[in-house]
Amino acid sequence: PAVMTSPDADATAIRCSRWLATGSLLALLALALAWELWLAPLRPGGSWWALKALPLLLPLPGLWRGRLHTFRWTTLLLWFYVAEGLVRGTSEPAPAAVLAWAQTLLALALFAACVWQVRARRTRPATGHAAA
């Protein structure tokens, strides 16, 4: 059964999840650029692999504005970053492995924030009972 919450709790969840999603997306974007340009690039002096940060710019305006559709499709986009983080975290030496695990954690935080947002905004039946 669904747990009923107050409108204030729903508004707080919506606000907090939006900030968590936007913050984790910005952190993931910064990490992707810093990793491939300065911290541990694949080639000395930086690599074209930094372009992996570009897709992260796409959901930024929608997350900032709180568009529900953006939260939904962002959960699909971020699995590429989880996969890369897992592969590179288990196959590369430090510091790249540490950065890869950080990327994985940030992508999972973004996923959790997006799911939290969608769940907080889903419509509930007027009777207060969960739909069957």
Side-chain angles (χ1 to χ4, degrees):
V3 175
M4 294 304 297
T5 58
S6 70
D8 290 340
D10 288 342
T12 300
I14 290 168
R15 188 174 45 258
C16 289
S17 62
R18 187 176 125 221
W19 283 108
L20 178 60
T22 304
S24 57
L25 178 68
L26 288 171
L28 189 58
L29 178 64
L31 175 65
L33 288 173
W35 179 0
E36 298 301 341
L37 294 176
W38 303 290
L39 299 175
L42 289 174
R43 290 183 179 74
S47 73
W48 284 95
W49 199 240
L51 293 175
K52 72 181 180 184
L54 287 178
L56 295 172
L57 292 173
L58 297 173
L60 189 56
L63 295 183
W64 183 260
R65 292 182 181 111
R67 294 188 176 146
L68 185 60
H69 182 68
T70 305
F71 284 91
R72 288 180 174 151
W73 66 258
T74 299
T75 62
L76 302 175
L77 170 70
L78 61 88
W79 291 109
F80 293 108
Y81 298 91
V82 171
E84 181 200 20
L86 291 173
V87 169
R88 292 181 75 179
T90 57
S91 64
E92 292 192 18
V98 174
L99 297 169
W101 287 114
Q103 175 177 296
T104 302
L105 291 175
L106 285 171
L108 291 174
L110 177 55
F111 176 78
C114 288
V115 169
W116 186 18
Q117 176 76 202
V118 171
R119 289 182 61 101
R121 291 175 57 182
R122 71 176 179 211
T123 56
R124 292 189 172 91
T127 61
H129 297 288

